Amino acid sequence: MKLLSTAFLVSALVAQQALAELTFTVKATRNGKPVPASEIKLEPFQPSRNARTASNSRVPPPPANGKERRTNPSSYSSNWCGSVNHATALNPIKKIHAYFQHPTCTKRTGVATYPQAAAFWAGIDGDTYTSALLQSGTVCKIDNSTGIVRNEAWWQWYPSAAYTITSLPVAIDDWFEVTVEATTTTSGVITLENLTQSLIYTITITGGPTLGRVDADWVVERPTVGGSPAGFAHFTDVWFQDAYATRTTGSLGILGANQYQILNSCSSAEYDDSNEVSWVP
């Protein structure tokens, strides 16, 4: 994630012009009370093509550490680790939801690439539909060998806009609730809540790149930083809980999703239709 040069203040009331034609507004509450516009701050970073990339590795082996992979099909990816379920264009995804706890991140042993990072998010598209991806969550970043970790909240509508929410604090073990809603193929609402710190951010977006609304993603990712894959930071287990996606008719859960693994770096498994876990093997 390549940060642009200047931070800026986002009004809670006035739409801001992002890249291309995308515009958005941001509102926030703390303990149920509105956060003043002067305290809402976002910082743009270069939108990254974080769509899943394939891997030529063999079919993953059964999981270790007492976690049981059940019946979901499993395959390798080079950058996504988690569950992705699918809808059809005739019955598209409207909203995706999950709770997760921001993990402890540390330098990964034997990895000399910096920065190291790991991102934890829910989103729509980016797997079978790669032209656009609407997503939000948290990320940990380790810039160099000192091992100092930055924990951040963020959202992105690839390929038009990406922002770190610098005024939304992220601490180890904080619980987050994320909801990403595609109100149309080119508009949406992201709600990212730090439940531990009683902060809710709502981003309302229009003019985004056209979504297919066919992929429902609950993912731990090795992100791209500055155009290249970051070193993949070590992280404690991440559970996506109460995970679901609504469609025009009906819903999707974890069961029946594709379980993506990153060879020797990240394993994932479904627990039931509402919960899945990703971990460092």
Side-chain angles (χ1 to χ4, degrees), residues 42-109:
L42 278 73
E43 185 172 276
F45 61 86
Q46 180 179 320
S48 300
R49 194 181 185 281
N50 289 336
R52 185 188 62 81
T53 55
S55 170
N56 294 324
S57 302
R58 58 186 173 81
V59 174
N65 301 336
K67 303 178 181 73
E68 296 181 4
R69 187 170 301 135
R70 292 167 171 78
T71 60
N72 280 2
S74 187
S75 58
Y76 279 120
S77 168
S78 65
N79 61 330
W80 282 21
C81 180
S83 300
V84 180
N85 214 334
H86 304 286
T88 67
L90 295 177
N91 190 14
I93 295 164
K94 298 180 68 177
K95 179 171 65 176
I96 188 168
H97 172 272
Y99 296 98
F100 68 95
Q101 193 171 21
H102 186 76
T104 300
C105 296
T106 55
K107 295 185 298 181
R108 189 178 289 257
T109 302

Side-chain angles (χ1 to χ4, degrees), residues 213-244:
R213 299 190 293 176
V214 293
D215 304 323
D217 319 318
W218 299 273
V219 171
V220 173
E221 182 183 355
R222 179 188 180 186
T224 297
V225 178
S228 300
F232 200 14
H234 187 281
F235 56 90
T236 51
D237 295 358
V238 175
W239 285 86
F240 288 100
Q241 302 183 26
D242 193 22
Y244 64 83

